[in-house]
């Protein structure tokens, strides 16, 4: 039998219950804050002659980009291309390809 003389026992009282929805809201809020901080660091790199907004959304990136461009006055979407090929592209899809096929706004795809 092991020696328990140095063992400390604690009684933990149950705390307030938190739902999965509340946890998701907390996580989403933290992610959005982190996203805004990152975007705000990059905004000074954009020339003053170009109007740009820092927008952070949670969800499917491709669908969010297309929906945002339909709901706001957008002149151009600039989007990156990771260069997926073969099976990865088929399984993971391509955000830039989705936006290219579904957006009514001109798109510049950067490689």
């Amino acid at each position: 039998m092991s020696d328990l003389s140095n063992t400390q026992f604690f009684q933990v009282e149950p705390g307030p219950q938190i739902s999965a929805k509340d946890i998701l809201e907390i996580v989403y809020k933290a992610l959005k804050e982190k996203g805004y901080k990152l975007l705000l660091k990059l905004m000074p790199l954009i020339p003053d002659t170009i109007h740009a907004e820092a927008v952070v959304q949670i969800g499917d990136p491709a669908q969010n980009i297309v929906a945002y461009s339909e709901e706001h006055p957008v002149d151009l979407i600039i989007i990156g291309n990771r260069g997926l090929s073969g099976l990865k592209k088929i399984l993971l899809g391509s955000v830039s390809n989705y936006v290219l096929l579904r957006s009514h706004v001109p798109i510049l795809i950067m490689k």
Side-chain angles (χ1 to χ4, degrees):
M1 192 164 213
S2 62
D3 179 20
L4 298 177
S5 60
N6 290 329
T7 304
Q8 294 182 0
F9 294 95
F10 299 93
Q11 180 176 351
V12 178
E13 296 294 327
Q17 296 294 320
I18 186 164
S19 69
K21 182 181 176 186
D22 291 338
I23 292 171
L24 280 176
E25 286 180 21
I26 292 167
V27 170
Y28 286 167
K29 183 178 178 185
L31 288 172
K32 286 182 102 172
E33 286 176 11
K34 192 170 189 171
Y36 274 120
K37 286 180 183 177
L38 176 62
L39 287 175
L40 291 177
K41 285 182 183 178
L42 298 173
M43 292 297 282
L45 301 175
I46 300 170
D48 292 336
T49 56
I50 298 174
H51 172 75
E53 289 182 53
V55 177
V56 177
Q57 295 182 340
I58 302 295
D60 181 270
Q63 291 177 359
N64 285 350
I65 292 168
V66 172
Y68 185 89
S69 71
E70 291 171 350
E71 297 166 3
H72 297 83
V74 174
D75 297 321
L76 175 67
I77 297 172
I78 302 173
I79 191 167
N81 181 344
R82 292 192 309 177
L84 296 177
S85 61
L87 186 58
K88 281 186 181 179
K89 189 171 190 173
I90 293 168
L91 293 176
L92 299 176
S94 165
V95 172
S96 57
N97 190 53
Y98 181 97
V99 174
L100 179 66
L101 295 175
R102 289 168 179 81
S103 176
H104 299 290
V105 175
I107 299 168
L108 173 62
I109 299 176
M110 303 296 294
K111 203 162 193 182

